Amino acid sequence: MNAGIAPAFTDAIIVAGQGQALDDLFAVLTETGLPTERVADLIEAEGQIEERGQALLVLFAASPTDEALRMVTRLRKGLNSATLPIVVLMAKGREELMVRALEVGADDCLETPAYPPLTLARIRALMGRLREMAEGVDQRQRFDLVVRGAGDGIWDWRLTDDSVYFSPRWRELLGYQPEDRFSAMDDWLALVHPEESEMVKREMRNHLEGISLAFQVECRLRHKSQSYRWFLIRGTSQRDPYGHATRMAGSLTDISERKLTDPMTGLPNRIVLYDRINQAIIKTRRRKNSNYGIILLQIDRYETMREAYGQSFCDNVQRVVAQRIVGILRMTDTLTIMSDTTMCILVDVMREDTDLVRVAQRVRGAAEEPVSLGEESVMLTLSIGMAQGSTHHIGADELIKDATAALNKARQSGAGHEAVFDPDMQRRARDRLRIEADLHQALRREELRVFWQPIVELGRNRLAGFEALLRWEHPTRGLISPLEFIPVAEESGLIVPIGKFVLREALHQARAWHEAGAPRDLFVSVNVSSRQLDSPDLVEAVTAALSDHPVPVGCLHIEITESAVMRDVGRSQDVLKQLKALGCHMALDDFGTGHSSLSLLQRLPLDYVKIDRSFIAAMSGEFSGESMVGAIIQIAKILRLTVIAEGIEAEADELRLRALGCQFGQGYRYGKPLPAPQWQDVLFANRRLGVAQ
Ligand code: C2E
Ligand code: MG
Ligand code: MG
């Protein structure tokens, strides 16, 4: 966008009035190549000055009462021409007239006839000053604008070389640093939202061509974070004597907040939500009791729906759902749109704590009806997170954070669930973060230990192997249970290096035991989590560990939980096959706690099934517990799987399990998980396993 090179306005000289002296001067100036205009009429000259704002004006005065001097007086009073350079031409020797001219505001006086080089030199000197002054005016205008709108960004575009000055605030509004390169108008125009791009360019053209007096548009600009925000852009231009715009400057105002409605649904947007929550917080503080809360609603499987039907279909679905919800809300509740998948209801007046849940249930009832649009019909579910306002909430952000935590918890339970935020949830989240930070160090500081719990062959009452169970010797918190840190390690991905460590430790220990003369078929069992199963290098890691610590075939057992296998049965099948090919035996851990089917068990290359200890515990209670364990053992036999019962604590458990035909057992009855040296006697000095440990 460049209007072409035009002479700067400071180069214009207007010679106004009638008479030979002015004609002669005009001839000299034109001959020298200075851009000069000859205007015969003083009124016309005044009009031109008004319009241009800047030029050098030359007038002729014959007497102190001359109309030309009255014009100088008028111009000097006018705001626009306060800095206009004016030269008054007069006959030689008229000192009194000269004094008068200077008094009313002329910048200089020239005598006629005169020595032309002197005339030229004086005019040039005045023009130089004029240029300096013009720059000063520019800076002042820029400064005025800045002062006027402290929150506004300022821009100043010199069309003669297409360079743009952007104030620090301008950059800040769009998220850019001073060092980010922004120097041409096109850099800026590239940020305009495609939907407004044409309009902005058109308005700018109209202004530059003089069709509109001022440039003013509302449009979205892309923030550095890639999100769009709404802005008001205003500007005006300065023109040269020929009417060409040479410079355009103005302001940039963030008006996102003014745009309060969601364009798709016409419902209030998050800005309104924040505002209303803040009002509710203030109200509560005054009354000292909390009676408001928010419900975050998220449409489940939105991405899948978008892939299948496209964005505009999804927009319409959201509109329909929003309408349904609005239909069941009370006057005091506000539904707002947070994003294309998420909505939020502010329940402003609550009589009881259960009000939130009740509203959520009504919303679910209304929203989860099939949505039919044209030919298509979709059934959708909502994930719902709720948080009740309380006096500890300082701002809307916090309440929304709480509701988001609840929403995340609901989503963890699968689609169509809901959860209410409780402050404990937040504490647990903080604890987890702390554990994660410490866990990073744990590996390096060698704080992780592998403990061993015996697995016995029930029929022959002999030690068959050990399960490797991880412990964390935390420098300040003491021994930490894997139940506390394994989930964190899973989430952060640390489980992969930790898993490798356990594997190596286990094989190293197995080799040591075998070398010391342990029974040939003594095995070690290592737990592998779902994240490890997903990681592409599990097979590689096992191969490497086995080649570094060779053990007899079948010595390494790998335990995988039912839920880990279920995540991707096809892939699990693949990985398990490869592990078996390496000589590992595979065990399905915590059997009964997931939802695996018989057909699934059949498809996986398994050797052992470990019945979860909750079933063993249930055996001593109701009768059905025992029959359930009995049934599992029978099914396992049909599938040619060996059964290991977990959590055997009492002799009675052992007796029942034996009677049911369970081959292996593990539990406190035979020993708790302990460091390897503590099993030395059992392995090599014929000490019997038993309750004594
Ligand atoms: P798991 O694999 O099912 O391990 C058995 C858990 O039951 C162990 O808990 C064990 O101490 C406990 N247990 C054994 N016998 C009895 C008993 O008679 N009564 C009772 N009440 N509990 C008994 P632990 O060591 O706390 O481990 C918990 C879970 O952490 C393990 O469950 C396993 O899923 C996981 N885990 C432990 N070590 C590792 C590891 O190295 N890698 C991975 N991925 N997970 C591990
Ligand atoms: Mg296990
Ligand atoms: Mg288990």
Side-chain angles (χ1 to χ4, degrees):
M1 217 326 132
N2 194 327
I5 307 285
F9 61 91
T10 45
D11 287 354
I13 304 168
I14 300 172
V15 178
Q18 288 180 359
Q20 193 56 47
L22 288 171
D23 288 345
D24 291 348
L25 179 67
F26 177 68
V28 171
L29 294 174
T30 329
E31 231 169 78
T32 330
L34 289 168
T36 316
E37 268 197 69
R38 183 77 181 90
V39 187
D41 191 343
L42 285 188
I43 310 240
E44 193 190 329
E46 212 171 336
Q48 278 220 9
I49 300 294
E50 272 298 310
E51 200 176 295
R52 291 178 185 214
Q54 289 293 351
L56 189 145
L57 183 65
V58 184
L59 303 167
F60 181 84
S63 74
T65 55
D66 200 296
E67 174 57 24
L69 292 194
R70 279 207 289 278
M71 178 175 160
V72 175
T73 314
R74 264 199 315 279
L75 285 171
R76 280 296 174 248
K77 284 188 183 143
L79 265 181
N80 273 353
S81 44
T83 55
L84 182 84
I86 305 173
V87 176
V88 178
L89 194 63
M90 59 190 64
K92 249 199 167 96
R94 300 290 306 273
E95 276 83 13
E96 189 193 333
L97 179 59
M98 202 179 271
V99 171
R100 182 75 198 130
L102 294 170
E103 269 174 4
V104 295
D107 291 285
D108 202 358
C109 295
L110 290 176
E111 290 178 325
T112 179
Y115 174 52
L118 178 66
T119 306
L120 278 175
R122 290 175 85 157
I123 289 210
R124 282 211 169 98
L126 258 177
M127 285 176 69
R129 261 179 48 213
L130 171 60
R131 205 168 284 131
E132 278 168 25
M133 237 152 45
E135 275 158 20
V137 169
D138 247 14
Q139 276 165 12
R140 215 166 39 237
Q141 281 175 348
R142 198 184 280 166
F143 179 74
D144 285 346
L145 281 168
V146 174
V147 172
R148 216 181 308 145
D152 292 353
I154 302 300
W155 54 277
D156 185 351
W157 178 25
R158 208 164 59 197
L159 282 94
T160 44
D161 61 1
D162 190 29
S163 65
V164 194
Y165 162 81
F166 294 116
S167 72
R169 176 68 183 145
W170 187 99
R171 288 165 188 271
E172 191 190 318
L173 282 171
L174 288 164
Y176 289 94
Q177 303 295 321
E179 58 274 17
D180 285 318
R181 271 184 62 94
F182 261 102
S183 47
M185 187 42 93
D186 283 344
D187 294 344
W188 182 9
L189 291 176
L191 302 180
V192 179
H193 192 282
E195 277 175 29
E196 279 97 48
S197 175
E198 267 318 304
M199 179 274 290
V200 170
K201 284 182 187 157
R202 188 185 57 236
E203 290 302 315
M204 188 171 271
R205 235 180 358 251
N206 282 347
H207 179 64
L208 289 176
E209 285 168 15
I211 299 168
S212 61
L213 283 175
F215 170 69
Q216 174 158 335
V217 289
E218 285 187 8
C219 67
R220 279 166 290 180
L221 295 176
R222 198 175 57 240
H223 190 268
K224 195 169 183 193
S225 68
Q226 297 306 310
S227 64
Y228 280 96
R229 293 187 68 86
W230 279 97
F231 288 95
L232 167 68
I233 308 172
R234 276 190 286 219
T236 50
S237 56
Q238 287 168 337
R239 294 168 191 280
D240 66 11
Y242 309 100
H244 296 135
T246 52
R247 188 163 206 157
M248 189 170 165
S251 57
L252 178 76
T253 317
D254 189 338
I255 53 160
S256 304
E257 300 223 344
R258 258 198 254 147
K259 301 264 173 193
L260 294 180
T261 50
D262 168 62
M264 266 339 286
T265 56
L267 284 167
N269 61 18
R270 61 194 307 152
I271 295 150
V272 179
L273 175 72
Y274 274 68
D275 188 48
R276 300 260 163 96
I277 296 178
N278 284 328
Q279 285 171 13
I281 291 175
I282 293 167
K283 216 165 61 188
T284 303
R285 230 176 269 144
R286 245 185 266 131
R287 291 209 215 117
K288 293 268 179 288
N289 66 337
S290 85
N291 56 356
Y292 68 96
I294 59 169
I295 305 176
L296 274 184
L297 309 161
Q298 193 162 56
I299 300 175
D300 293 323
R301 290 177 296 265
Y302 187 86
E303 275 311 312
T304 319
M305 189 162 76
R306 180 155 57 192
E307 273 165 27
Y309 302 110
Q311 182 66 54
S312 64
F313 180 87
C314 292
D315 286 343
N316 287 329
V317 167
Q318 193 191 28
R319 198 177 305 152
V320 171
V321 172
Q323 276 162 4
R324 288 179 183 172
I325 297 174
V326 169
I328 58 121
L329 291 182
R330 299 171 304 182
M331 294 289 289
T332 45
D333 304 333
T334 318
L335 176 68
T336 52
I337 305 296
M338 309 278 283
S339 71
D340 40 3
T341 57
T342 316
M343 292 168 271
C344 183
I345 302 169
L346 170 66
V347 180
D348 199 1
V349 182
M350 280 168 36
R351 274 175 298 275
E352 286 165 50
D353 286 358
T354 48
D355 270 10
L356 267 189
V357 180
R358 269 201 217 114
V359 174
Q361 278 166 353
R362 278 216 311 278
V363 165
R364 194 186 281 292
E368 293 186 347
E369 289 281 308
V371 180
S372 301
L373 291 166
E375 305 269 280
E376 310 292 350
S377 176
V378 288
M379 185 70 213
L380 41 88
T381 57
L382 298 175
S383 290
I384 299 180
M386 292 164 264
Q388 193 171 341
S390 75
T391 38
H392 79 258
H393 287 118
I394 320 171
D397 261 339
E398 280 182 297
L399 185 64
I400 291 174
K401 200 172 73 197
D402 290 354
T404 308
L407 179 67
N408 288 337
K409 190 176 162 218
R411 289 179 36 169
Q412 274 165 20
S413 318
H417 281 79
E418 59 212 36
V420 185
F421 175 83
D422 69 295
D424 273 357
M425 215 153 94
Q426 204 174 21
R427 191 184 41 76
R428 284 197 299 272
R430 278 206 204 106
D431 282 354
R432 275 172 96 96
L433 288 176
R434 212 183 46 230
I435 290 185
E436 187 183 322
D438 285 358
L439 201 52
H440 270 280
Q441 321 261 9
L443 257 178
R444 219 172 359 102
R445 293 197 194 140
E446 300 186 356
E447 291 166 7
L448 298 179
R449 313 263 171 272
V450 173
F451 278 28
W452 299 93
Q453 186 177 33
I455 298 175
V456 299
E457 196 180 337
L458 296 177
R460 292 164 60 191
N461 212 2
R462 71 170 198 117
L463 175 69
F466 288 99
E467 177 172 1
L469 290 163
L470 198 55
R471 296 290 178 269
W472 178 8
E473 234 175 74
H474 193 277
T476 54
R477 298 177 60 199
L479 266 195
I480 302 183
S481 151
L483 295 174
E484 208 176 318
F485 69 86
I486 295 278
V488 180
E490 281 242 320
E491 247 173 44
S492 61
L494 271 172
I495 191 68
V496 174
I498 290 177
K500 283 183 187 163
F501 161 79
V502 177
L503 196 63
R504 289 181 171 275
E505 276 292 299
L507 287 174
H508 174 79
Q509 187 59 60
R511 196 166 155 74
W513 278 330
H514 279 291
E515 275 176 355
R520 262 203 72 75
D521 55 358
L522 183 90
F523 63 83
V524 291
S525 203
V526 172
N527 293 283
V528 164
S529 74
S530 59
R531 179 86 179 241
Q532 289 170 275
L533 199 63
D534 291 345
S535 134
D537 62 350
L538 174 67
V539 177
E540 214 174 283
V542 174
T543 313
L546 278 171
S547 90
D548 288 350
H549 310 278
V551 290
V553 171
C555 172
L556 178 62
H557 287 202
I558 289 179
E559 298 187 11
I560 296 169
T561 62
E562 214 185 326
S563 45
V565 176
M566 291 288 287
R567 294 213 328 194
D568 184 348
V569 178
R571 186 174 150 70
S572 305
Q573 224 176 355
D574 230 43
V575 176
L576 263 54
K577 259 189 207 140
Q578 293 182 55
L579 291 173
K580 266 195 85 100
L582 294 173
C584 303
H585 282 177
M586 306 303 306
L588 193 67
D589 203 356
D590 301 348
F591 182 72
T593 55
H595 301 280
S596 52
S597 62
L598 284 176
S599 63
L600 170 77
L601 286 185
Q602 249 172 332
R603 279 167 60 194
L604 294 169
L606 294 167
D607 304 284
Y608 294 87
V609 170
K610 296 186 81 172
I611 305 179
D612 190 69
R613 74 163 192 270
S614 55
F615 287 84
I616 310 305
M619 273 196 319
S620 54
E622 345 129 51
F623 176 70
S624 62
E626 187 168 335
S627 26
M628 206 136 62
V629 174
I632 296 175
I633 294 171
Q634 288 312 311
I635 295 164
K637 278 206 172 130
I638 296 167
L639 297 174
R640 294 202 176 77
L641 296 172
T642 307
V643 178
I644 302 174
E646 295 185 298
I648 304 179
E649 290 184 2
E651 191 183 8
D653 295 339
E654 185 188 308
L655 295 176
R656 279 199 200 97
L657 285 162
R658 267 183 213 250
L660 291 170
C662 178
Q663 298 109 310
F664 290 87
Q666 176 180 357
Y668 293 170
R669 175 162 167 77
Y670 315 104
K672 289 189 173 175
L674 292 170
Q678 306 216 24
W679 296 113
Q680 200 72 5
D681 290 355
V682 171
L683 273 165
F684 307 112
N686 286 326
R687 178 166 61 83
R688 282 195 57 219
L689 278 175
V691 201
Q693 280 121 37

